[in-house]
Amino acid sequence: MSRVPGWIGRLGAGLTHMSRTLEQRRAEAERQQAAADAVEPQPYDHVPAPPDHPPAVAARPDPAQAVPWGVRVAAEAGWRLLVLAGTLWVLMRIISAVQLVVLAFVAALLITALLQPTVARLRRGGVPRGLATALTAIGGFVVMGLIGWFVTWQVMENIDSLSGQVQDGIDELRRWLLNSPFHVTDKQINEIAKNLREAVGANTDQITSAGLEGVTVVVEALTGILLAAFSTLFLLYDGKRIWEWTLKLVPAAARPGVAGAGPRAWRTLTAYVRGTVIVALIDAIFIGLGIYFLDVPMAVPLAVFIFLFAFVPLVGAVVSGALAVVVALVTQGVFTAVMVLVVVLAVQQIEGHILQPFILGRAVRVHPLAVVLSVAAGGLVAGIGGAVVAVPLVAVTNTVVGYLRAHSRETALRGTPRPHGATSTDAAPAAGQPPAADPPGAEPDAG
């Protein structure tokens, strides 16, 4: 019993010590909490003020800026090319729909470029404009009509003898094939002739329809000739006013450049037509004399065909020369055909290396590759007519583009554009350019 109070006393002392320790710890925690509350108030007691500037958030880049520069340039050029291609396609569809009218007007332009200097010369001599136009047009059409009549007359006069000579030539060719090193037999030749006859008999309907289509072509050709004749008359008589009216359709901002480019384009076209006529005439004369002295029949009609085909660059010379060689082969034999080929090649070499550079000069200088491609494209688009007008079109386009580039550069250097509404007389020539020729029919009026 004496030990129990002592144990209870020690237990009470331990509990008292533990209670003091807990109170000290609680007081220390309260002091730390008070210090923390003094530095950062509780969210329940105080709401912080908004910041002066909103937080920086990374914005998404502009889609146009995100596309690489090269792709953007290609896209800009691509849609513009698509617009130009669509415009060109629509234009070609319209031209194909009125192809006869377009070819007739282009032919009238070429004829006007050939005859307009004569009208201008008569006007300078004091002849009234209407009379000068009538005399020039009638003279030109009469000369072309006489040439056509002469060719037809020569063909009709020599057709009987030519048929006999062709038959003799075929027989001679047959004998040459039989005795040639190609080992051609008479049976093979007869088989070829039989196949030809059967092909003609089996395609009689197609030949008949082709003949009917030929009649349609003749009617269209006559219509085109009449349209070209009327257009030529009006271009010779009133070409200056037609050009001034055309300028009014051009936007005012581009009118000064077009007004200066038009006369230069006309000068290029005139130089091309004159030079081509002179070169074709020289070809026809010398090749015609060669086949005449070689005793080839229908030398004059062949010379006329050579003259006409010379207006189709590259292709025309080959076709007309081949025609002359074939006629010589079937009528006079292999030796004469070889001699005709030598004459044709010699004249064409002189034409290509001497006549065209000297006569045409720098006025219509076009790269040979451009000539080949333009003739091929013109032939595919519009046949023979397209092949004829392809090269002068390329030459005129080259002149116009060169002048517009020089005009734009000169205007940029001056810094002051020309007044709107300027006519061809107001447009000064570009630097290094000679004075421009007049547009079609723009000879000076006398009273």
Side-chain angles (χ1 to χ4, degrees):
M1 292 294 295
S2 58
R3 292 184 179 180
V4 173
W7 175 80
I8 295 174
R10 287 194 298 274
L11 179 61
L15 292 174
T16 303
H17 178 73
M18 186 180 298
S19 174
R20 289 175 182 176
T21 302
L22 290 176
E23 288 179 357
Q24 290 177 357
R25 290 181 180 178
R26 185 168 56 251
E28 183 67 24
E30 289 176 355
R31 285 195 300 270
Q32 292 178 359
Q33 183 67 31
D37 292 341
V39 175
E40 182 179 357
Q42 290 294 332
Y44 303 102
D45 300 333
H46 179 71
V47 178
D52 295 337
H53 301 284
V57 179
R60 292 185 178 181
D62 185 7
Q65 299 297 329
V67 179
W69 182 82
V71 177
R72 292 167 61 187
V73 171
E76 292 284 338
W79 74 258
R80 286 176 170 84
L81 289 175
L82 287 177
V83 172
L84 291 177
T87 304
L88 183 61
W89 182 81
V90 173
L91 182 62
M92 295 304 299
R93 295 286 294 180
I94 295 174
I95 291 176
S96 63
V98 291
Q99 181 177 351
L100 180 62
V101 177
V102 174
L103 290 179
F105 183 74
V106 172
L109 279 176
L110 297 177
I111 298 173
T112 304
L114 180 63
L115 299 180
Q116 190 268 336
T118 304
V119 176
R121 196 174 295 112
L122 292 175
R123 296 285 291 117
R124 288 192 294 268
V127 180
R129 182 173 60 182
L131 182 59
T133 301
L135 291 176
T136 303
I138 292 173
F141 292 146
V142 165
V143 169
M144 289 185 285
L146 288 177
I147 292 175
W149 170 81
F150 183 74
V151 171
T152 304
W153 174 64
Q154 285 289 313
V155 172
M156 296 303 295
E157 284 289 324
N158 294 276
I159 191 66
D160 294 334
S161 60
L162 180 64
S163 60
Q165 290 176 338
V166 169
Q167 185 61 43
D168 295 339
I170 292 175
D171 294 338
E172 182 178 353
L173 179 63
R174 179 175 180 172
R175 289 192 296 270
W176 181 81
L177 289 174
L178 291 174
N179 299 324
S180 68
F182 300 108
H183 304 290
V184 180
T185 62
D186 189 66
K187 180 179 179 181
Q188 292 174 334
I189 295 176
N190 293 332
E191 188 68 23
I192 293 173
K194 179 181 177 182
N195 292 334
L196 289 175
R197 287 193 298 268
E198 291 178 352
V200 172
N203 295 279
T204 304
D205 296 337
Q206 288 80 354
I207 295 174
T208 304
S209 62
L212 295 177
E213 291 179 0
V215 174
T216 305
V217 170
V218 170
V219 174
E220 292 181 353
L222 292 177
T223 305
I225 290 173
L226 292 177
L227 286 174
F230 279 108
S231 300
T232 302
L233 286 174
F234 284 109
L235 289 174
L236 288 174
Y237 180 77
D238 221 9
K240 182 178 181 179
R241 291 186 177 88
I242 294 174
W243 170 245
E244 292 175 350
W245 178 84
T246 304
L247 279 179
K248 296 178 182 179
L249 303 177
V250 180
R255 196 172 299 162
V258 177
R264 286 165 176 78
W266 180 251
R267 182 180 59 194
T268 299
L269 182 62
T270 303
Y272 174 83
V273 174
R274 293 179 188 173
T276 304
V277 168
I278 294 174
V279 171
L281 187 61
I282 294 175
D283 286 353
I285 290 175
F286 282 98
I287 295 178
L289 288 175
I291 59 180
Y292 174 79
F293 286 115
L294 289 173
D295 201 21
V296 177
M298 293 197 307
V300 175
L302 287 176
V304 174
F305 280 118
I306 291 171
F307 173 81
L308 295 177
F309 277 99
F311 285 90
V312 183
L314 302 178
V315 180
V318 175
V319 173
S320 60
L323 179 63
V325 171
V326 169
V327 173
L329 177 64
V330 298
T331 57
Q332 300 296 324
V334 178
F335 176 76
T336 305
V338 172
M339 295 305 297
V340 170
L341 179 62
V342 170
V343 171
V344 170
L345 292 179
V347 173
Q348 289 180 358
Q349 289 298 315
I350 295 174
E351 169 200 338
H353 293 87
I354 299 177
L355 295 180
Q356 286 190 356
F358 178 74
I359 295 175
L360 296 179
R362 299 180 61 88
V364 290
R365 177 162 293 181
V366 180
H367 195 275
L369 179 60
V371 173
V372 174
L373 295 179
S374 59
V375 170
L380 291 175
V381 172
I384 297 177
V388 170
V389 304
V391 175
L393 179 61
V394 172
V396 168
T397 303
N398 184 38
T399 300
V400 170
V401 171
Y403 173 80
L404 291 179
R405 187 185 298 115
H407 176 270
S408 176
R409 183 166 54 248
E410 181 185 0
T411 304
L413 291 175
R414 284 201 312 263
T416 54
R418 292 171 183 157
H420 295 335
T423 59
S424 59
T425 57
D426 299 326
Q433 292 283 349
D438 291 330
E443 66 277 4
D445 291 336

